[in-house]
Amino acid sequence: MAKESYNFAEIEPKWQRYWDEAGLFKADMASSKPKYYCLTMFPYPSGTLHVGHGRNYIIGDVVARYMIKQGYNVLTPMGWDAFGLPAENAALKRNANPATWTYDNIRKMKIQFRAWGVGYDWEREVATCHPGYYKWTQWVFLKLFERGLAYRKKAPVNWCPSCNTALANEEVVNGACERCGTEVTHKDLEQWFFKITEYADRLLEDLKLLDKWPDTVRQMQANWIGKSTGAKVNFKIAETGDLLPVFTTRPDTLWGVTFMSLAPEHPIIPSLIAGTTHEAEVRAFIERCHELKPMQRAMADFEKEGVWTGRHVINPVNGEKVQLWVANYALMEYGTGAVMAVPAHDQRDFEFAKKYGLPVKVVIEPKDKHLVAAEMTEAYVDEGIMANSGQFTGVPNLEGIESVTRHLHVTRQGDFAVSYRIRDWLISRQRYWGAPIPVVHCKKCGIVPVPESKLPVMLPEPEKVNFRPMGRSPLADVKEFVETTCPRCGGPAQRDTDTIAQWLCSCWYFLRYINPREDKKPFDKDLVDTWLPVDQYIGGVEHAVLHLLYSRFIVKVLYDAGYVGFVEPFGALFTQGMICKKTPAGRLEKMSKSKGNVVSPDEIIAKFGADTQRLYTLFIGPPEKDAEWSDRGILGASRFLQKFWETVTGNLDRVKGVKAYHGKGDELAGADRAVNRLTHQTIRKVTHDILDSWHFNTAVASLMEFMNVVKDSEAAASPAVMRFALESATQLLSPFVPHVAEEVWEMLGHKPSIFHTPWPTFDEAQAKADEVEIPVQVNGKLRDRVIVPADATEEDIRKAALAEERIAKHLEGKTVRKVIVIPGRLINIVAG
């Protein structure tokens, strides 16, 4: 007789305590088992978790539990991406200090993780805001500084007026701050940068090593790096004789240059216009450009505007002198920030030239047509033959690209060149909540790194700092922090008052997990070389060109410096889709506190239990795609778990003391044969779906179908076959709903834990169906289904289909011309 509804409020805490006491998720560094590093991206502790967050962590837990049952020594740690804008902004909204707010959230989120039944090796916990961690973030900074990869310079930077800090290019999305959505402006500031551009080729080339990453992520990184091959051409400023190099992918159009465009941010502009009659007009234009979003300026339909600098440049291939302009559509992110303008063969240049009455000169023509510049209504951008191009006239332009570049090289007017979209990584922030930059500024010695023995450079206590964002670093007002002595000469010096962007903190945390309490070095090389690269990394695709790209860069630097023995941090990557909720208007939106559409896991767990939420989260849809949260869906998951519970408990007396059936299946018949076969089929299906395809939703669906059959067959199947089915179902469900699986496993007479037992195996011969049902079409339309033996020949299948009564009716008066048989899948009868 079935027990009453399972009491999740007692069962779930019971097994959570057991897993903690048994050390289920503790990795053994000395184990001889094969290792498996399963890592889920650690969260910002900027609030509490909602069910949308749960998808990421529940998926990671399923994979970790599955691999434990597969016999692996699994490392599955967790920590907190606790420094930076997300945590600080959330604290300021609530008028709290960032430290108190962050650690309060860490405590709350750990309780939520535990309530979900998500298991981690908590002895390896790290928080990036803890001095024992950011000491080593500062060490990473110093390693880059030592290798000439960290530098400080005055440069135009992205500025968020709301966050009151500089942003890296990667933190600007569609012209707005990635964190708060405020339109980004520009400022000229002294800032710290990392030379990620020096690693652009390797970051691009090594994408081929990441064959277990989503193609979309690899393509996003390749696009962000943005490698272009072409030519560097040395134009000369006519009035000063200074060189103005230009990068172009179209050297075949050089003879068509009729003006030059500079990006408003180009560093040459101030000296170029200083003291001239054009200075005021140019400066006013640049100010207007700074108010525009970079994304706007790059749009094809954006209105092109510019101003003449009063200067000219000389074209090296023909000696022509053309005007030098500042244009709003020229971007520093492309090439050198100086763009040779060829109006006849570039639409943006064409529109600009027409607006300002600048010349248009045809230098590429179709094979069978002569182009007249005055008659052109748009730029000609297709392939053709070079015209009006000196000795290259008559050469096919694609051939001319290389020939002209070779000519530039020989004549020392330019050379073959490569350009990248990626720019150096801006890492300094004018905010409080971050790791202090470990250098001092000495009037005598310049910039001096803090010795490693003096790390960490401690962040002042919040009580000593007015950490409200004010457009400059609040640390600058803390006298006891700023004033120090120079490590080199012993004289007075000042600490750098910017803090490090939180992205650096998260670029190496996966290394620290290996031995997180080591205080003499950031990590043990032998151990990290054993455990890394991470076998499976799980997180959001939104980190493709932030965290993931930066982490790859930092690991390559550490590899070059001899600190690690691998060049890529993450062997396999899975990016889960978002959980969305419908608005009152029926539009799906990402679940977010700012939108007010979150569902609290605490409420779901209190009402239905963690296993119900876990099951629904996994069943909601393919995990790589966005999915809609439905409150009704929770009820379905709850009903299934109740059915599972009732089916097991209702058969406990029948299967008590009986060994599960593990025969070859030949001697079974009737219900026993059907249930045994479906058990093997379900083991095969779920095993495949967990890691081969990551389709947890179809794995859960097959288990639901399986339990329906088991329930319907409980009276007819023998106790041994029934025990085999119930034990297999419990094993297969255990990664998904671990609490109820542990409880049922114990009720079936086994010692805990179910995760100390191996994953069930299937027999392909016993999984093979005795009969198959095949759809039958007539002239492409489904008309019936036919059941045939699984080993039926094509001829047998053909005869069976034609013999069906409903099929015969559809063939009346027709001649069967062809019968197409796809064994096990489809029969199509062509008749007329």
Side-chain angles (χ1 to χ4, degrees):
M1 183 169 180
K3 289 186 179 181
E4 60 188 29
S5 299
Y6 79 98
N7 189 343
F8 58 81
E10 289 185 4
I11 290 171
E12 292 179 352
K14 165 188 171 180
W15 290 107
Q16 289 161 10
R17 286 192 300 271
Y18 174 83
W19 297 327
D20 285 346
E21 292 165 3
L24 181 64
F25 294 99
K26 288 183 180 178
D28 181 359
M29 295 288 112
S31 173
S32 60
K33 290 181 180 180
K35 68 93 180 176
Y36 190 85
Y37 191 171
C38 180
L39 183 61
T40 305
M41 292 183 184
F42 63 173
Y44 301 122
S46 54
T48 53
L49 299 166
H50 56 69
V51 296
H53 295 125
R55 197 178 204 191
N56 190 20
Y57 306 112
I58 291 168
I59 287 171
D61 191 61
V62 168
V63 174
R65 290 177 185 273
Y66 173 78
M67 296 307 291
I68 288 172
K69 287 182 68 62
Q70 288 284 8
Y72 284 83
N73 181 22
V74 174
L75 172 61
T76 176
M78 181 48 66
W80 314 98
D81 195 2
F83 259 153
L85 292 178
E88 186 174 1
N89 284 349
L92 290 170
K93 270 186 184 177
R94 292 155 181 84
N95 202 29
N97 85 59
T100 301
W101 171 254
T102 297
Y103 282 108
D104 280 350
N105 285 328
I106 287 174
R107 178 181 54 80
K108 294 172 186 174
M109 291 168 75
K110 284 182 75 172
I111 292 171
Q112 289 184 299
F113 277 136
R114 183 183 179 84
W116 263 327
V118 174
Y120 297 115
D121 186 346
W122 284 110
E123 291 184 0
R124 299 178 183 278
E125 178 183 8
V126 300
T128 60
C129 63
H130 190 282
Y133 183 92
Y134 71 72
K135 166 183 180 177
W136 301 111
T137 298
Q138 293 171 339
W139 176 90
V140 173
F141 177 97
L142 293 177
K143 295 300 119 180
L144 274 86
F145 186 82
E146 289 171 9
R147 300 180 70 80
L149 295 170
Y151 66 93
R152 191 170 185 259
K153 72 169 184 178
K154 188 171 186 177
V157 297
N158 305 304
W159 184 264
C160 175
S162 175
C163 296
N164 264 308
T165 190
L167 302 174
N169 289 340
E170 292 83 355
E171 292 176 288
V172 179
V173 180
N174 295 328
C177 173
E178 179 261 350
R179 176 50 43 191
C180 72
T182 302
E183 287 191 19
V184 167
T185 61
H186 291 88
K187 271 192 177 185
D188 288 337
L189 292 175
E190 288 279 350
Q191 296 284 285
W192 283 95
F193 295 85
F194 285 163
K195 289 185 182 178
I196 194 172
T197 50
E198 286 200 7
Y199 282 73
D201 271 330
R202 287 170 62 183
L203 288 166
L204 188 62
E205 180 66 19
D206 285 355
L207 286 173
K208 70 176 184 296
L209 303 176
L210 305 178
D211 57 349
K212 294 181 180 178
W213 281 38
D215 290 340
T216 51
V217 175
R218 291 193 292 176
Q219 190 59 52
M220 289 168 74
Q221 291 206 2
N223 292 343
W224 188 260
I225 294 166
K227 183 177 182 179
S228 299
T229 56
K232 184 185 77 171
V233 187
N234 293 323
F235 283 76
K236 189 177 290 185
I237 298 173
E239 289 78 8
T240 66
D242 294 331
L243 289 181
L244 184 61
V246 170
F247 173 80
T248 178
T249 59
R250 295 294 307 276
D252 55 314
T253 64
L254 266 166
W255 283 261
V257 173
T258 61
F259 66 97
M260 176 81 75
S261 297
L262 289 175
E265 302 82 9
H266 201 293
I268 199 175
I269 295 175
S271 62
L272 199 66
I273 61 174
T276 70
T277 57
H278 294 265
E279 182 175 8
E281 185 183 6
V282 173
R283 288 190 180 278
F285 176 76
I286 290 173
E287 284 301 312
R288 293 202 308 275
C289 289
H290 284 173
E291 296 173 2
L292 299 170
K293 297 180 183 179
M295 186 65 68
Q296 283 181 298
R297 290 167 52 193
M299 292 172 63
D301 58 354
F302 182 66
E303 184 179 358
K304 284 70 178 174
E305 294 184 331
V307 61
W308 182 36
T309 63
R311 303 290 190 176
H312 301 78
V313 294
I314 297 173
N315 189 332
V317 297
N318 57 15
E320 288 186 1
K321 186 166 73 170
V322 299
Q323 292 184 356
L324 178 60
W325 286 65
V326 178
N328 63 0
Y329 67 94
L331 304 173
M332 278 304 297
E333 286 74 22
Y334 181 79
T336 65
V339 183
M340 65 180 217
V342 186
H345 307 294
D346 182 280
Q347 187 60 28
R348 296 182 308 166
D349 295 342
F350 183 84
E351 293 171 14
F352 191 92
K354 288 295 183 182
K355 181 171 183 173
Y356 291 102
L358 297 166
V360 177
K361 184 177 178 181
V362 174
V363 292
I364 307 291
E365 292 183 329
K367 290 182 180 180
D368 54 355
K369 186 178 179 181
H370 176 64
L371 296 180
V372 178
E375 297 174 358
M376 295 178 71
T377 58
E378 62 181 4
Y380 178 73
V381 296
D382 295 329
E383 297 176 22
I385 304 299
M386 294 177 67
N388 306 310
S389 300
Q391 72 263 41
F392 296 97
T393 298
V395 174
N397 78 298
L398 294 183
E399 179 184 323
I401 290 174
E402 183 174 353
S403 299
V404 171
T405 307
R406 194 178 300 113
H407 169 73
L408 292 169
H409 171 75
V410 171
T411 59
R412 296 185 179 181
Q413 296 169 321
D415 211 338
F416 293 92
V418 176
S419 179
Y420 299 89
R421 178 177 183 264
I422 193 172
R423 290 293 179 261
D424 281 344
W425 171 15
L426 188 156
I427 62 99
S428 47
R429 298 291 181 269
Q430 293 69 45
R431 294 289 291 259
Y432 164 68
W433 193 234
I437 292 175
V439 303
V440 303
H441 299 270
C442 174
K443 289 184 178 179
K444 179 179 178 182
C445 305
I447 296 176
V448 181
V450 173
E452 289 180 25
S453 61
K454 299 296 183 181
L455 299 180
V457 176
M458 293 288 289
L459 188 67
E461 294 296 323
E463 294 77 15
K464 298 179 179 180
V465 185
N466 175 14
F467 48 80
R468 294 268 162 196
M470 57 187 79
R472 59 184 179 83
S473 174
L475 298 184
D477 296 329
V478 184
K479 183 178 180 181
E480 58 265 42
F481 174 80
V482 174
E483 294 182 358
T484 186
T485 57
C486 174
R488 188 170 295 163
C489 71
Q494 292 189 325
R495 295 196 187 280
D496 200 293
T497 56
D498 283 350
T499 51
I500 299 172
Q502 78 268 16
W503 299 108
L504 182 60
C505 304
S506 63
C507 281
W508 71 279
Y509 78 110
F510 40 87
L511 302 171
R512 186 64 176 169
Y513 279 142
I514 304 303
N515 44 339
R517 305 298 170 250
E518 171 64 61
D519 62 356
K520 302 297 183 187
K521 52 189 174 182
F523 47 80
D524 181 277
K525 183 179 185 300
D526 290 339
L527 279 177
V528 297
D529 285 352
T530 297
W531 279 92
L532 280 96
V534 170
D535 294 283
Q536 183 63 64
Y537 202 27
I538 303 166
V541 71
E542 66 271 18
H543 296 297
V545 293
L546 282 162
H547 165 64
L548 290 169
L549 184 65
Y550 293 160
S551 297
R552 296 182 60 221
F553 164 61
I554 292 299
V555 164
K556 290 181 189 303
V557 173
L558 293 175
Y559 172 81
D560 290 349
Y563 292 106
V564 300
F566 46 91
V567 295
E568 288 291 339
F570 313 120
L573 174 69
F574 180 82
T575 53
Q576 83 284 349
M578 296 183 296
I579 298 290
C580 304
K581 277 278 278 184
K582 271 188 180 173
T583 66
R587 185 178 69 254
L588 280 180
E589 285 188 341
K590 174 187 175 183
M591 197 173 283
S592 164
K593 286 182 181 179
S594 63
K595 299 181 187 299
N597 64 351
V598 300
V599 176
S600 168
D602 304 347
E603 296 172 10
I604 298 291
I605 291 171
K607 189 172 182 179
F608 298 103
D611 280 342
T612 294
Q613 189 199 321
R614 289 173 63 109
L615 191 72
Y616 177 58
T617 300
L618 296 164
F619 185 60
I620 199 169
E624 73 278 9
K625 298 184 181 298
D626 293 349
E628 178 187 358
W629 181 270
S630 164
D631 295 333
R632 286 180 299 178
I634 280 285
L635 295 173
S638 178
R639 284 194 293 268
F640 169 72
L641 288 183
Q642 181 61 33
K643 176 184 282 190
F644 169 64
W645 178 267
E646 291 174 354
T647 304
V648 174
T649 57
N651 283 278
L652 283 178
D653 291 341
R654 289 189 65 221
V655 302
K656 186 176 181 180
V658 177
K659 287 187 177 182
Y661 176 78
H662 287 292
K664 294 183 178 181
D666 297 344
E667 77 284 8
L668 299 179
D672 276 352
R673 187 173 183 85
V675 171
N676 181 65
R677 180 175 62 246
L678 186 58
T679 303
H680 283 277
Q681 290 173 342
T682 306
I683 295 170
R684 179 178 62 188
K685 170 68 172 167
V686 174
T687 303
H688 173 268
D689 283 351
I690 285 183
L691 273 191
D692 290 350
S693 67
W694 285 73
H695 284 171
F696 309 112
N697 57 316
T698 57
V700 171
S702 67
L703 282 163
M704 290 177 171
E705 294 171 8
F706 176 52
M707 288 311 301
N708 285 336
V709 173
V710 172
K711 178 70 174 173
D712 293 342
S713 306
E714 60 186 356
S718 67
V721 169
M722 183 58 66
R723 176 175 273 277
F724 175 49
L726 294 176
E727 288 187 352
S728 297
T730 307
Q731 290 273 22
L732 296 173
L733 279 166
S734 63
F736 307 138
V737 287
H739 308 90
V740 68
E742 287 274 30
E743 187 72 13
V744 165
W745 190 247
E746 190 175 56
M747 289 192 304
L748 286 168
H750 300 286
K751 293 181 179 180
S753 160
I754 194 171
F755 297 101
H756 291 152
T757 62
W759 186 254
T761 58
F762 64 90
D763 180 350
E764 191 66 61
Q766 294 187 68
K768 187 176 181 181
D770 290 341
E771 295 179 328
V772 293
E773 184 180 74
I774 307 176
V776 183
Q777 296 178 345
V778 176
N779 293 330
K781 292 185 178 180
L782 180 65
R783 297 302 186 187
D784 201 359
R785 296 176 186 274
V786 63
I787 296 176
V788 297
D791 57 357
T793 65
E794 286 193 28
E795 182 60 30
D796 291 338
I797 295 171
R798 187 178 294 108
K799 288 179 180 179
L802 293 171
E804 287 294 315
E805 184 178 345
R806 291 180 63 187
I807 297 300
K809 286 183 180 180
H810 284 286
L811 294 176
E812 287 179 0
K814 297 184 177 74
T815 301
V816 175
R817 304 190 185 280
K818 186 185 293 185
V819 180
I820 301 168
V821 177
I822 303 175
R825 294 180 59 191
L826 180 69
I827 305 163
N828 186 28
I829 301 170
V830 181

